[in-house]
Amino acid sequence: MKTYLSLLWIAAICLCVSGCSNYRELNQIGVIIGLGIDENKNSEEPYKVTYQIINPSGLSQGSSSGGQGLPVINYTVTAKTLVEALKKASIVIPREHITSHLSLIIIGEKLARNDLSLLFDALDRGKQARTSIPVFIARDGTAEKLLGVIEPFEVTPVKSILSTSQNNQKMYGIVSNVQAYEVISMLLSEGKDLSLPGISINKPSQKAEEAGNLENTSPSAMQVKGLAMFRKGKLVRWLDGDEARSVQLVTSEAKSTALVFPCSINENITVTATGIKSQMKTAIRHRQPFIHTDLNVMGEITETTCQKDLSNPKVLKELEKEVQKELQKEITKTIRISQKEKVDIFGFGDSLSRTNPSYWRQHKQNWENLFSSAKISMNVNVSIVNTGMRTNPYEVN
């Protein structure tokens, strides 16, 4: 009986002391979901840091209990380092703020053009923050401005930016999300340079940061805008449109895209690519690096104004060759730009380090010059597997 009572007492004590010892209510903490880092004009405090924090009462506006204010609140401070900025934010943030739910990092373009090399040290070294966080560049603007835009489709600016970029990667393939740990890896890498997606404000206005933006049928909104190329941690150039997409095609990051090519004067054909796979090969020929890329694209014709008989297999083969020719031209142009800037954003150096490790060890310090003069070849294979519900376009008299 005594043993039984003892066990009951032990169980009761365990129930009393168990649970989350560090448990805190949401209204007791400030949950940081977005981080914006801009250049500050004061050199003594070079960083201007914006924190986007969840406003629980604003999030509950859609509920029956109602709510007050916007779903997020932005706080901005200046500091010498990012860690100091986080601590210094307690001057303006009324609650204990945590970064364990940080979902997005935006870096202002001016700061990105200076140097990102050591910007991620605090993130990689810290205990609370994760490194699986997407990183973006605020093109033609500041991170503070971007984090202030209130959009109708998403609850928070952070969610809007993430959703827009993910939708682009899935549907058009101009850019792909890059996680913080990948940024750190590329900054330290000797065989692949950093590239990051750009984000800007479409139709910027004074009401972009106000609730009034939600009442506009054509509101200010986030837009994916180009791919930033970095050399030794500094932004040196932007790639736009087909140039940015070419990078995603070569690295197999694009999920789908629309390839539009002319078939005659004022006539175009659209091939929607759904199967994209690329393979890069590197070798040493005559003591010089040689780079070859194989790109396989599978797609279907989804629109055409060309007066061609698509039921004819020979016509389809001709179209495939035309698409292959245009794709090869686009990608070659982008690689040439990369070589001119001495920025290997494709990772050809990483490939060379695996296929020719001895050569790489001897020449990796000079890779940017070797890459700029490397011989490039490419093989593009396009397979049109479907022509849609029609074999011929409409004939307009």
Side-chain angles (χ1 to χ4, degrees):
M1 186 66 180
K2 290 183 179 180
T3 303
Y4 180 71
L5 289 173
S6 299
L7 289 174
L8 284 176
W9 275 109
I10 292 172
I13 293 171
C14 288
L15 286 173
C16 291
V17 301
S18 64
C20 299
S21 59
N22 62 345
Y23 173 80
R24 285 168 291 177
E25 293 288 348
L26 188 59
N27 59 7
Q28 296 176 332
I29 58 175
V31 180
I32 297 174
I33 60 170
L35 172 64
I37 312 171
D38 290 305
E39 180 186 65
N40 189 30
K41 293 180 180 179
N42 184 355
S43 59
E44 294 183 1
E45 293 184 331
Y47 297 116
K48 187 178 184 181
V49 185
T50 301
Y51 300 100
Q52 184 159 109
I53 297 180
I54 288 289
N55 177 16
S57 62
L59 284 175
S60 65
Q61 285 195 38
S63 65
S64 58
S65 61
Q68 296 179 350
L70 295 172
V72 292
I73 303 172
N74 290 350
Y75 295 95
T76 301
V77 295
T78 58
K80 296 177 182 178
T81 67
L82 298 185
V83 172
E84 183 191 34
L86 183 63
K87 299 295 183 182
K88 196 174 179 181
S90 60
I91 296 173
V92 291
I93 300 176
R95 299 174 183 175
E96 181 184 352
H97 43 283
I98 60 172
T99 59
S100 56
H101 293 275
L102 183 63
S103 304
L104 174 74
I105 298 174
I106 306 177
I107 300 169
E109 182 171 347
K110 285 187 178 180
L111 180 60
R113 290 191 178 276
N114 288 338
D115 197 354
L116 299 187
S117 297
L118 298 177
L119 197 60
F120 291 85
D121 181 83
L123 187 67
D124 196 30
R125 193 183 299 272
K127 297 178 180 179
Q128 277 192 317
R130 297 169 292 108
T131 55
S132 56
I133 307 166
V135 181
F136 298 87
I137 302 297
R139 186 170 183 180
D140 303 323
T142 64
E144 182 182 15
K145 281 287 185 183
L146 278 174
L147 286 174
V149 177
I150 303 298
E151 281 196 51
F153 268 115
E154 298 293 352
V155 177
T156 69
V158 166
K159 184 66 168 66
S160 179
I161 293 171
L162 291 174
S163 298
T164 301
S165 61
Q166 290 167 357
N167 191 45
N168 171 267
Q169 183 179 6
K170 180 181 178 181
M171 300 296 292
Y172 195 47
I174 293 293
V175 298
S176 59
N177 286 356
V178 181
Q179 310 294 320
Y181 71 86
E182 295 176 298
V183 175
I184 296 168
S185 176
M186 283 185 275
L187 287 172
L188 297 174
S189 174
E190 295 171 310
K192 185 176 183 179
D193 288 301
L194 176 64
S195 62
L196 287 173
I199 292 288
S200 68
I201 303 174
N202 181 26
K203 301 178 183 178
S205 70
Q206 293 182 347
K207 291 186 177 180
E209 300 176 51
E210 302 174 4
N213 193 45
L214 305 179
E215 300 172 357
N216 194 335
T217 56
S218 183
S220 298
M222 307 296 182
Q223 67 173 354
V224 173
K225 194 174 183 183
L227 188 68
M229 300 172 62
F230 288 80
R231 180 174 62 241
K232 295 181 178 179
K234 296 181 180 181
L235 195 161
V236 294
R237 179 168 179 158
W238 286 96
L239 294 176
D240 289 296
D242 295 340
E243 295 172 358
R245 183 176 62 184
S246 293
V247 178
Q248 309 306 314
L249 292 174
V250 172
T251 55
S252 298
E253 292 291 343
K255 307 300 181 186
S256 176
T257 191
L259 306 170
V260 182
F261 302 102
C263 49
S264 60
I265 300 175
N266 297 325
E267 293 183 343
N268 295 297
I269 183 169
T270 302
V271 176
T272 297
T274 54
I276 303 168
K277 189 172 183 180
S278 176
Q279 183 179 16
M280 60 181 69
K281 300 176 183 178
T282 51
I284 304 300
R285 296 182 181 178
H286 307 294
R287 298 182 180 179
Q288 292 294 321
F290 176 81
I291 296 169
H292 178 78
T293 299
D294 283 313
L295 176 64
N296 294 298
V297 177
M298 183 181 296
E300 58 183 26
I301 296 175
T302 49
E303 184 179 358
T304 180
T305 56
C306 306
Q307 299 300 320
K308 294 180 180 292
D309 181 10
L310 300 181
S311 63
N312 188 336
K314 291 183 179 180
V315 173
L316 285 180
K317 286 295 181 184
E318 290 174 0
L319 287 174
E320 287 176 346
K321 290 180 180 179
E322 286 298 318
V323 176
Q324 289 170 185
K325 182 181 177 181
E326 291 296 324
L327 261 182
Q328 186 165 342
K329 187 189 300 184
E330 287 180 8
I331 295 173
T332 300
K333 177 185 176 183
T334 304
I335 294 177
R336 296 299 182 199
I337 291 173
S338 183
Q339 287 183 301
K340 180 182 178 182
E341 297 292 344
K342 296 184 178 182
V343 178
D344 180 10
I345 56 177
F346 300 93
F348 292 128
D350 278 346
S351 177
L352 184 64
S353 69
R354 293 190 294 270
T355 55
N356 293 271
S358 58
Y359 178 91
W360 178 253
R361 283 193 295 270
Q362 296 176 25
H363 299 89
K364 62 182 180 179
Q365 300 298 332
N366 192 38
W367 174 239
E368 63 178 31
N369 293 316
L370 290 171
F371 169 67
S372 66
S373 59
K375 299 296 181 182
I376 304 291
S377 72
M378 178 172 297
N379 177 52
V380 179
N381 179 51
V382 175
S383 299
I384 297 176
V385 296
N386 196 350
T387 60
M389 301 297 290
R390 294 180 59 87
T391 55
N392 296 302
Y394 293 109
E395 293 185 6
V396 181
N397 296 325

